[in-house]
Amino acid sequence: MSEIASSFRTVQWWARPAARSWTCAPAPAQVHAFHAALPEYTPTPLTELPSLAAELGVGKVFIKDESSRLGLPAFKALGASWAVHRTLAERAEHSEESGPLTLVTATDGNHGRAVARVARLLGQQAHVFVPQGVHPKAAAAIAAEGAEVTRIAGSYDEAVRQAAEAAAAPDAVLVQDTAWPGYEQIPGWIVEGYSTLCAEIDEQLAAAGAGKLDLVAVPVGVGSLAQAVVTHYRSRPAGNAPALLSVEPQAASCVIESLALGEPVSVATGETTMAGLNCGTPSSIAWPYLREGLDAAISITDADSARAAGDLAALGVSSGPCGAAPLAGLRAALTGGGADERRTALGLGPVSTVVLLSTEGRAANPHSTPHH
């Protein structure tokens, strides 16, 4: 297995040429049907942006716009709704308890709001732990869904630890979008929930007559969304598989550091406007998929993300700092020193079709972003 890891002045890059030959089992087919039956369900837009295709030297660029998903400003409700559905179904099957559950989670923003929304709709309770650095407006939006909100003076990882402790109480369950040894079933259901986003992309590209998909760029925090993307595109025949690029902040590049070392590691995180990607440890269930299924990983600066968000806004796409990261990452990959090598690693040419996953809308507060 040949792997490439290199650093440039503003680009931290990792590539694995063999990724497109790796395959895995698909997500359960019933997930998309479950979401389609929800009252507020509608597929989010897949918008073609020809000016970006011209800038990047590819054939077509589409952006999956998750600025409004099931009434919330990010994709997170897909995972939360499916995971809570599965949790309640398991409880009904194996327990005689019928009173309300308290759904406990930690969040950088939109995952916690999604869990709180689902809890309210289903007559359950929610308790959400919020780390430092999350804007008060984000915490207020979670509280407005009826959840108990506990703000802590610590990192996201510390918020997860405290949420897990609180979930040990009777009639409580942890609904966390990161996994660790011993806590993997519910995070796995959350990942399955995200598969609907990819199923929609398949249908939308076919309707647009876009032909073969060559690259998907996805923002990464702990890697749960990226796991869903890898699962979807690596469960098809290898010859028809697109390249997959993960993008994360330079201030919190736990995935690219883990890939470079060949094993999951925790990194100390710094400050970043991409608060929802400010994660120090890859999810344990995501890691094998990231290691085997990603073609490349890149890290970007806050300035890269801000420029991309501004450019997307000018094109009519509402995208926050995390949602704009895929555009910023692809720009970093395809420009500057070593760009030809990186373009070759991604298999991109002048007629290639690219999809960027914009996972959130631009919030009234720019620091309220989802954790992936």
Side-chain angles (χ1 to χ4, degrees), residues 268-302:
T269 59
E271 292 295 319
T272 173
T273 55
M274 292 172 276
L277 307 181
N278 194 10
C279 306
T281 306
S283 170
S284 65
I285 58 171
W287 168 247
Y289 291 83
L290 306 181
R291 181 189 62 214
E292 300 296 336
L294 285 175
D295 290 79
I298 198 165
S299 64
I300 59 168
T301 66
D302 285 1

PDB file of all heavy atoms in Angstrom, residues 268-302:
ATOM      1  N   ALA A 268      -4.482  17.977  20.532  1.00  0.00           N
ATOM      2  CA  ALA A 268      -4.956  19.159  21.240  1.00  0.00           C
ATOM      3  C   ALA A 268      -5.531  20.124  20.223  1.00  0.00           C
ATOM      4  O   ALA A 268      -4.901  20.424  19.207  1.00  0.00           O
ATOM      5  CB  ALA A 268      -3.797  19.809  21.996  1.00  0.00           C
ATOM      6  N   THR A 269      -6.754  20.584  20.463  1.00  0.00           N
ATOM      7  CA  THR A 269      -7.398  21.468  19.505  1.00  0.00           C
ATOM      8  C   THR A 269      -7.195  22.920  19.888  1.00  0.00           C
ATOM      9  O   THR A 269      -7.059  23.255  21.062  1.00  0.00           O
ATOM     10  CB  THR A 269      -8.902  21.168  19.416  1.00  0.00           C
ATOM     11  OG1 THR A 269      -9.490  21.337  20.709  1.00  0.00           O
ATOM     12  CG2 THR A 269      -9.140  19.748  18.943  1.00  0.00           C
ATOM     13  N   GLY A 270      -7.170  23.769  18.875  1.00  0.00           N
ATOM     14  CA  GLY A 270      -7.048  25.200  19.098  1.00  0.00           C
ATOM     15  C   GLY A 270      -8.356  25.909  18.806  1.00  0.00           C
ATOM     16  O   GLY A 270      -9.403  25.285  18.669  1.00  0.00           O
ATOM     17  N   GLU A 271      -8.305  27.227  18.702  1.00  0.00           N
ATOM     18  CA  GLU A 271      -9.496  28.003  18.375  1.00  0.00           C
ATOM     19  C   GLU A 271      -9.710  27.989  16.862  1.00  0.00           C
ATOM     20  O   GLU A 271      -8.768  28.083  16.083  1.00  0.00           O
ATOM     21  CB  GLU A 271      -9.327  29.451  18.859  1.00  0.00           C
ATOM     22  CG  GLU A 271      -9.306  29.590  20.370  1.00  0.00           C
ATOM     23  CD  GLU A 271     -10.630  29.211  21.000  1.00  0.00           C
ATOM     24  OE1 GLU A 271     -11.687  29.584  20.442  1.00  0.00           O
ATOM     25  OE2 GLU A 271     -10.620  28.512  22.034  1.00  0.00           O
ATOM     26  N   THR A 272     -10.958  27.858  16.446  1.00  0.00           N
ATOM     27  CA  THR A 272     -11.294  27.934  15.028  1.00  0.00           C
ATOM     28  C   THR A 272     -12.732  28.389  14.876  1.00  0.00           C
ATOM     29  O   THR A 272     -13.591  28.049  15.699  1.00  0.00           O
ATOM     30  CB  THR A 272     -11.101  26.575  14.312  1.00  0.00           C
ATOM     31  OG1 THR A 272     -11.605  26.671  12.968  1.00  0.00           O
ATOM     32  CG2 THR A 272     -11.821  25.445  15.030  1.00  0.00           C
ATOM     33  N   THR A 273     -12.995  29.180  13.823  1.00  0.00           N
ATOM     34  CA  THR A 273     -14.372  29.561  13.522  1.00  0.00           C
ATOM     35  C   THR A 273     -15.185  28.355  13.066  1.00  0.00           C
ATOM     36  O   THR A 273     -16.415  28.379  13.133  1.00  0.00           O
ATOM     37  CB  THR A 273     -14.412  30.633  12.425  1.00  0.00           C
ATOM     38  OG1 THR A 273     -13.704  30.164  11.279  1.00  0.00           O
ATOM     39  CG2 THR A 273     -13.797  31.932  12.914  1.00  0.00           C
ATOM     40  N   MET A 274     -14.513  27.296  12.622  1.00  0.00           N
ATOM     41  CA  MET A 274     -15.194  26.054  12.249  1.00  0.00           C
ATOM     42  C   MET A 274     -15.450  25.238  13.520  1.00  0.00           C
ATOM     43  O   MET A 274     -14.963  24.120  13.689  1.00  0.00           O
ATOM     44  CB  MET A 274     -14.351  25.276  11.235  1.00  0.00           C
ATOM     45  CG  MET A 274     -14.241  25.948   9.883  1.00  0.00           C
ATOM     46  SD  MET A 274     -13.045  25.150   8.764  1.00  0.00           S
ATOM     47  CE  MET A 274     -11.516  25.934   9.312  1.00  0.00           C
ATOM     48  N   ALA A 275     -16.240  25.816  14.442  1.00  0.00           N
ATOM     49  CA  ALA A 275     -16.389  25.243  15.783  1.00  0.00           C
ATOM     50  C   ALA A 275     -16.918  23.821  15.731  1.00  0.00           C
ATOM     51  O   ALA A 275     -16.543  22.981  16.548  1.00  0.00           O
ATOM     52  CB  ALA A 275     -17.316  26.119  16.623  1.00  0.00           C
ATOM     53  N   GLY A 276     -17.796  23.529  14.782  1.00  0.00           N
ATOM     54  CA  GLY A 276     -18.353  22.188  14.697  1.00  0.00           C
ATOM     55  C   GLY A 276     -17.379  21.139  14.225  1.00  0.00           C
ATOM     56  O   GLY A 276     -17.663  19.938  14.322  1.00  0.00           O
ATOM     57  N   LEU A 277     -16.242  21.548  13.700  1.00  0.00           N
ATOM     58  CA  LEU A 277     -15.195  20.617  13.292  1.00  0.00           C
ATOM     59  C   LEU A 277     -14.040  20.627  14.285  1.00  0.00           C
ATOM     60  O   LEU A 277     -13.002  19.996  14.034  1.00  0.00           O
ATOM     61  CB  LEU A 277     -14.670  20.977  11.890  1.00  0.00           C
ATOM     62  CG  LEU A 277     -15.721  21.117  10.786  1.00  0.00           C
ATOM     63  CD1 LEU A 277     -15.043  21.446   9.452  1.00  0.00           C
ATOM     64  CD2 LEU A 277     -16.573  19.871  10.662  1.00  0.00           C
ATOM     65  N   ASN A 278     -14.226  21.284  15.414  1.00  0.00           N
ATOM     66  CA  ASN A 278     -13.148  21.448  16.392  1.00  0.00           C
ATOM     67  C   ASN A 278     -13.109  20.242  17.325  1.00  0.00           C
ATOM     68  O   ASN A 278     -13.441  20.323  18.504  1.00  0.00           O
ATOM     69  CB  ASN A 278     -13.350  22.741  17.177  1.00  0.00           C
ATOM     70  CG  ASN A 278     -12.113  23.139  17.954  1.00  0.00           C
ATOM     71  OD1 ASN A 278     -11.040  22.559  17.781  1.00  0.00           O
ATOM     72  ND2 ASN A 278     -12.245  24.131  18.811  1.00  0.00           N
ATOM     73  N   CYS A 279     -12.688  19.108  16.775  1.00  0.00           N
ATOM     74  CA  CYS A 279     -12.734  17.824  17.478  1.00  0.00           C
ATOM     75  C   CYS A 279     -11.339  17.222  17.546  1.00  0.00           C
ATOM     76  O   CYS A 279     -10.589  17.250  16.566  1.00  0.00           O
ATOM     77  CB  CYS A 279     -13.674  16.860  16.746  1.00  0.00           C
ATOM     78  SG  CYS A 279     -15.325  17.539  16.482  1.00  0.00           S
ATOM     79  N   GLY A 280     -11.017  16.642  18.694  1.00  0.00           N
ATOM     80  CA  GLY A 280      -9.661  16.156  18.910  1.00  0.00           C
ATOM     81  C   GLY A 280      -9.452  14.670  18.717  1.00  0.00           C
ATOM     82  O   GLY A 280      -8.302  14.216  18.682  1.00  0.00           O
ATOM     83  N   THR A 281     -10.543  13.892  18.573  1.00  0.00           N
ATOM     84  CA  THR A 281     -10.414  12.441  18.531  1.00  0.00           C
ATOM     85  C   THR A 281     -11.365  11.847  17.494  1.00  0.00           C
ATOM     86  O   THR A 281     -12.571  12.109  17.560  1.00  0.00           O
ATOM     87  CB  THR A 281     -10.743  11.821  19.902  1.00  0.00           C
ATOM     88  OG1 THR A 281      -9.938  12.453  20.906  1.00  0.00           O
ATOM     89  CG2 THR A 281     -10.476  10.326  19.903  1.00  0.00           C
ATOM     90  N   PRO A 282     -10.882  11.026  16.552  1.00  0.00           N
ATOM     91  CA  PRO A 282     -11.796  10.403  15.587  1.00  0.00           C
ATOM     92  C   PRO A 282     -12.741   9.418  16.277  1.00  0.00           C
ATOM     93  O   PRO A 282     -12.388   8.783  17.272  1.00  0.00           O
ATOM     94  CB  PRO A 282     -10.853   9.655  14.624  1.00  0.00           C
ATOM     95  CG  PRO A 282      -9.504  10.245  14.841  1.00  0.00           C
ATOM     96  CD  PRO A 282      -9.481  10.692  16.271  1.00  0.00           C
ATOM     97  N   SER A 283     -13.951   9.286  15.746  1.00  0.00           N
ATOM     98  CA  SER A 283     -14.895   8.289  16.240  1.00  0.00           C
ATOM     99  C   SER A 283     -14.340   6.891  15.991  1.00  0.00           C
ATOM    100  O   SER A 283     -13.813   6.598  14.920  1.00  0.00           O
ATOM    101  CB  SER A 283     -16.233   8.443  15.505  1.00  0.00           C
ATOM    102  OG  SER A 283     -17.093   7.368  15.778  1.00  0.00           O
ATOM    103  N   SER A 284     -14.486   6.018  16.987  1.00  0.00           N
ATOM    104  CA  SER A 284     -13.903   4.676  16.867  1.00  0.00           C
ATOM    105  C   SER A 284     -14.525   3.870  15.736  1.00  0.00           C
ATOM    106  O   SER A 284     -13.840   3.078  15.079  1.00  0.00           O
ATOM    107  CB  SER A 284     -14.047   3.913  18.192  1.00  0.00           C
ATOM    108  OG  SER A 284     -15.413   3.669  18.496  1.00  0.00           O
ATOM    109  N   ILE A 285     -15.829   4.049  15.480  1.00  0.00           N
ATOM    110  CA  ILE A 285     -16.443   3.286  14.391  1.00  0.00           C
ATOM    111  C   ILE A 285     -16.170   3.916  13.034  1.00  0.00           C
ATOM    112  O   ILE A 285     -16.179   3.235  12.008  1.00  0.00           O
ATOM    113  CB  ILE A 285     -17.956   3.087  14.589  1.00  0.00           C
ATOM    114  CG1 ILE A 285     -18.685   4.424  14.711  1.00  0.00           C
ATOM    115  CG2 ILE A 285     -18.230   2.199  15.791  1.00  0.00           C
ATOM    116  CD1 ILE A 285     -20.212   4.284  14.686  1.00  0.00           C
ATOM    117  N   ALA A 286     -15.898   5.225  12.998  1.00  0.00           N
ATOM    118  CA  ALA A 286     -15.585   5.885  11.729  1.00  0.00           C
ATOM    119  C   ALA A 286     -14.172   5.548  11.264  1.00  0.00           C
ATOM    120  O   ALA A 286     -13.918   5.443  10.054  1.00  0.00           O
ATOM    121  CB  ALA A 286     -15.732   7.396  11.874  1.00  0.00           C
ATOM    122  N   TRP A 287     -13.245   5.366  12.205  1.00  0.00           N
ATOM    123  CA  TRP A 287     -11.843   5.257  11.869  1.00  0.00           C
ATOM    124  C   TRP A 287     -11.525   4.213  10.795  1.00  0.00           C
ATOM    125  O   TRP A 287     -10.826   4.538   9.814  1.00  0.00           O
ATOM    126  CB  TRP A 287     -10.994   5.021  13.124  1.00  0.00           C
ATOM    127  CG  TRP A 287      -9.589   4.609  12.798  1.00  0.00           C
ATOM    128  CD1 TRP A 287      -8.998   3.417  13.039  1.00  0.00           C
ATOM    129  CD2 TRP A 287      -8.609   5.405  12.109  1.00  0.00           C
ATOM    130  NE1 TRP A 287      -7.714   3.403  12.563  1.00  0.00           N
ATOM    131  CE2 TRP A 287      -7.446   4.608  11.978  1.00  0.00           C
ATOM    132  CE3 TRP A 287      -8.605   6.689  11.586  1.00  0.00           C
ATOM    133  CZ2 TRP A 287      -6.293   5.075  11.346  1.00  0.00           C
ATOM    134  CZ3 TRP A 287      -7.453   7.160  10.964  1.00  0.00           C
ATOM    135  CH2 TRP A 287      -6.313   6.345  10.857  1.00  0.00           C
ATOM    136  N   PRO A 288     -12.002   2.966  10.880  1.00  0.00           N
ATOM    137  CA  PRO A 288     -11.646   1.999   9.833  1.00  0.00           C
ATOM    138  C   PRO A 288     -12.105   2.439   8.444  1.00  0.00           C
ATOM    139  O   PRO A 288     -11.421   2.170   7.446  1.00  0.00           O
ATOM    140  CB  PRO A 288     -12.357   0.714  10.272  1.00  0.00           C
ATOM    141  CG  PRO A 288     -12.587   0.877  11.733  1.00  0.00           C
ATOM    142  CD  PRO A 288     -12.818   2.338  11.942  1.00  0.00           C
ATOM    143  N   TYR A 289     -13.247   3.118   8.372  1.00  0.00           N
ATOM    144  CA  TYR A 289     -13.757   3.584   7.078  1.00  0.00           C
ATOM    145  C   TYR A 289     -12.921   4.740   6.542  1.00  0.00           C
ATOM    146  O   TYR A 289     -12.637   4.819   5.341  1.00  0.00           O
ATOM    147  CB  TYR A 289     -15.222   4.019   7.230  1.00  0.00           C
ATOM    148  CG  TYR A 289     -16.162   2.876   7.498  1.00  0.00           C
ATOM    149  CD1 TYR A 289     -16.332   2.371   8.784  1.00  0.00           C
ATOM    150  CD2 TYR A 289     -16.881   2.287   6.466  1.00  0.00           C
ATOM    151  CE1 TYR A 289     -17.189   1.317   9.039  1.00  0.00           C
ATOM    152  CE2 TYR A 289     -17.746   1.229   6.710  1.00  0.00           C
ATOM    153  CZ  TYR A 289     -17.884   0.745   7.993  1.00  0.00           C
ATOM    154  OH  TYR A 289     -18.735  -0.303   8.234  1.00  0.00           O
ATOM    155  N   LEU A 290     -12.505   5.631   7.420  1.00  0.00           N
ATOM    156  CA  LEU A 290     -11.657   6.745   7.007  1.00  0.00           C
ATOM    157  C   LEU A 290     -10.301   6.238   6.539  1.00  0.00           C
ATOM    158  O   LEU A 290      -9.776   6.673   5.508  1.00  0.00           O
ATOM    159  CB  LEU A 290     -11.470   7.730   8.160  1.00  0.00           C
ATOM    160  CG  LEU A 290     -12.744   8.272   8.818  1.00  0.00           C
ATOM    161  CD1 LEU A 290     -12.387   9.243   9.931  1.00  0.00           C
ATOM    162  CD2 LEU A 290     -13.654   8.921   7.807  1.00  0.00           C
ATOM    163  N   ARG A 291      -9.732   5.303   7.308  1.00  0.00           N
ATOM    164  CA  ARG A 291      -8.403   4.774   6.987  1.00  0.00           C
ATOM    165  C   ARG A 291      -8.399   4.072   5.631  1.00  0.00           C
ATOM    166  O   ARG A 291      -7.470   4.238   4.840  1.00  0.00           O
ATOM    167  CB  ARG A 291      -7.979   3.790   8.078  1.00  0.00           C
ATOM    168  CG  ARG A 291      -6.591   3.165   7.873  1.00  0.00           C
ATOM    169  CD  ARG A 291      -6.372   2.050   8.878  1.00  0.00           C
ATOM    170  NE  ARG A 291      -7.347   0.966   8.703  1.00  0.00           N
ATOM    171  CZ  ARG A 291      -7.851   0.233   9.689  1.00  0.00           C
ATOM    172  NH1 ARG A 291      -7.499   0.474  10.951  1.00  0.00           N
ATOM    173  NH2 ARG A 291      -8.721  -0.719   9.444  1.00  0.00           N
ATOM    174  N   GLU A 292      -9.438   3.292   5.350  1.00  0.00           N
ATOM    175  CA  GLU A 292      -9.443   2.488   4.131  1.00  0.00           C
ATOM    176  C   GLU A 292     -10.120   3.176   2.955  1.00  0.00           C
ATOM    177  O   GLU A 292      -9.761   2.917   1.811  1.00  0.00           O
ATOM    178  CB  GLU A 292     -10.155   1.155   4.398  1.00  0.00           C
ATOM    179  CG  GLU A 292      -9.518   0.315   5.492  1.00  0.00           C
ATOM    180  CD  GLU A 292      -8.112  -0.136   5.155  1.00  0.00           C
ATOM    181  OE1 GLU A 292      -7.768  -0.205   3.963  1.00  0.00           O
ATOM    182  OE2 GLU A 292      -7.343  -0.413   6.099  1.00  0.00           O
ATOM    183  N   GLY A 293     -11.109   4.041   3.224  1.00  0.00           N
ATOM    184  CA  GLY A 293     -11.960   4.515   2.144  1.00  0.00           C
ATOM    185  C   GLY A 293     -11.728   5.920   1.652  1.00  0.00           C
ATOM    186  O   GLY A 293     -12.226   6.289   0.579  1.00  0.00           O
ATOM    187  N   LEU A 294     -10.985   6.738   2.399  1.00  0.00           N
ATOM    188  CA  LEU A 294     -10.702   8.095   1.932  1.00  0.00           C
ATOM    189  C   LEU A 294      -9.542   8.087   0.948  1.00  0.00           C
ATOM    190  O   LEU A 294      -8.499   7.487   1.201  1.00  0.00           O
ATOM    191  CB  LEU A 294     -10.335   9.006   3.110  1.00  0.00           C
ATOM    192  CG  LEU A 294     -11.458   9.463   4.029  1.00  0.00           C
ATOM    193  CD1 LEU A 294     -10.876  10.258   5.200  1.00  0.00           C
ATOM    194  CD2 LEU A 294     -12.487  10.306   3.275  1.00  0.00           C
ATOM    195  N   ASP A 295      -9.708   8.793  -0.170  1.00  0.00           N
ATOM    196  CA  ASP A 295      -8.605   8.966  -1.114  1.00  0.00           C
ATOM    197  C   ASP A 295      -7.610   9.989  -0.601  1.00  0.00           C
ATOM    198  O   ASP A 295      -6.408   9.863  -0.852  1.00  0.00           O
ATOM    199  CB  ASP A 295      -9.137   9.448  -2.469  1.00  0.00           C
ATOM    200  CG  ASP A 295      -9.911   8.372  -3.171  1.00  0.00           C
ATOM    201  OD1 ASP A 295     -11.081   8.148  -2.810  1.00  0.00           O
ATOM    202  OD2 ASP A 295      -9.343   7.729  -4.061  1.00  0.00           O
ATOM    203  N   ALA A 296      -8.123  11.009   0.070  1.00  0.00           N
ATOM    204  CA  ALA A 296      -7.241  12.082   0.503  1.00  0.00           C
ATOM    205  C   ALA A 296      -7.879  12.858   1.638  1.00  0.00           C
ATOM    206  O   ALA A 296      -9.098  12.837   1.831  1.00  0.00           O
ATOM    207  CB  ALA A 296      -6.934  13.029  -0.662  1.00  0.00           C
ATOM    208  N   ALA A 297      -7.019  13.553   2.394  1.00  0.00           N
ATOM    209  CA  ALA A 297      -7.452  14.423   3.476  1.00  0.00           C
ATOM    210  C   ALA A 297      -6.621  15.694   3.414  1.00  0.00           C
ATOM    211  O   ALA A 297      -5.432  15.657   3.067  1.00  0.00           O
ATOM    212  CB  ALA A 297      -7.262  13.736   4.830  1.00  0.00           C
ATOM    213  N   ILE A 298      -7.257  16.804   3.757  1.00  0.00           N
ATOM    214  CA  ILE A 298      -6.570  18.089   3.712  1.00  0.00           C
ATOM    215  C   ILE A 298      -7.071  18.949   4.859  1.00  0.00           C
ATOM    216  O   ILE A 298      -8.199  18.775   5.327  1.00  0.00           O
ATOM    217  CB  ILE A 298      -6.800  18.792   2.346  1.00  0.00           C
ATOM    218  CG1 ILE A 298      -5.775  19.893   2.109  1.00  0.00           C
ATOM    219  CG2 ILE A 298      -8.234  19.306   2.212  1.00  0.00           C
ATOM    220  CD1 ILE A 298      -5.718  20.355   0.654  1.00  0.00           C
ATOM    221  N   SER A 299      -6.229  19.830   5.359  1.00  0.00           N
ATOM    222  CA  SER A 299      -6.662  20.760   6.399  1.00  0.00           C
ATOM    223  C   SER A 299      -6.558  22.186   5.874  1.00  0.00           C
ATOM    224  O   SER A 299      -5.752  22.490   4.998  1.00  0.00           O
ATOM    225  CB  SER A 299      -5.819  20.594   7.666  1.00  0.00           C
ATOM    226  OG  SER A 299      -4.477  20.937   7.421  1.00  0.00           O
ATOM    227  N   ILE A 300      -7.406  23.057   6.426  1.00  0.00           N
ATOM    228  CA  ILE A 300      -7.531  24.423   5.926  1.00  0.00           C
ATOM    229  C   ILE A 300      -7.522  25.410   7.087  1.00  0.00           C
ATOM    230  O   ILE A 300      -7.710  25.043   8.242  1.00  0.00           O
ATOM    231  CB  ILE A 300      -8.828  24.604   5.111  1.00  0.00           C
ATOM    232  CG1 ILE A 300     -10.054  24.268   5.976  1.00  0.00           C
ATOM    233  CG2 ILE A 300      -8.805  23.763   3.846  1.00  0.00           C
ATOM    234  CD1 ILE A 300     -11.384  24.668   5.381  1.00  0.00           C
ATOM    235  N   THR A 301      -7.340  26.683   6.752  1.00  0.00           N
ATOM    236  CA  THR A 301      -7.350  27.751   7.749  1.00  0.00           C
ATOM    237  C   THR A 301      -8.746  28.366   7.863  1.00  0.00           C
ATOM    238  O   THR A 301      -9.605  28.203   6.988  1.00  0.00           O
ATOM    239  CB  THR A 301      -6.368  28.863   7.371  1.00  0.00           C
ATOM    240  OG1 THR A 301      -6.837  29.499   6.170  1.00  0.00           O
ATOM    241  CG2 THR A 301      -4.965  28.303   7.128  1.00  0.00           C
ATOM    242  N   ASP A 302      -8.963  29.102   8.935  1.00  0.00           N
ATOM    243  CA  ASP A 302     -10.211  29.836   9.083  1.00  0.00           C
ATOM    244  C   ASP A 302     -10.404  30.832   7.946  1.00  0.00           C
ATOM    245  O   ASP A 302     -11.529  31.052   7.479  1.00  0.00           O
ATOM    246  CB  ASP A 302     -10.232  30.577  10.418  1.00  0.00           C
ATOM    247  CG  ASP A 302     -10.473  29.651  11.605  1.00  0.00           C
ATOM    248  OD1 ASP A 302     -10.603  28.426  11.394  1.00  0.00           O
ATOM    249  OD2 ASP A 302     -10.519  30.154  12.739  1.00  0.00           O
TER     250      ASP A 302
END
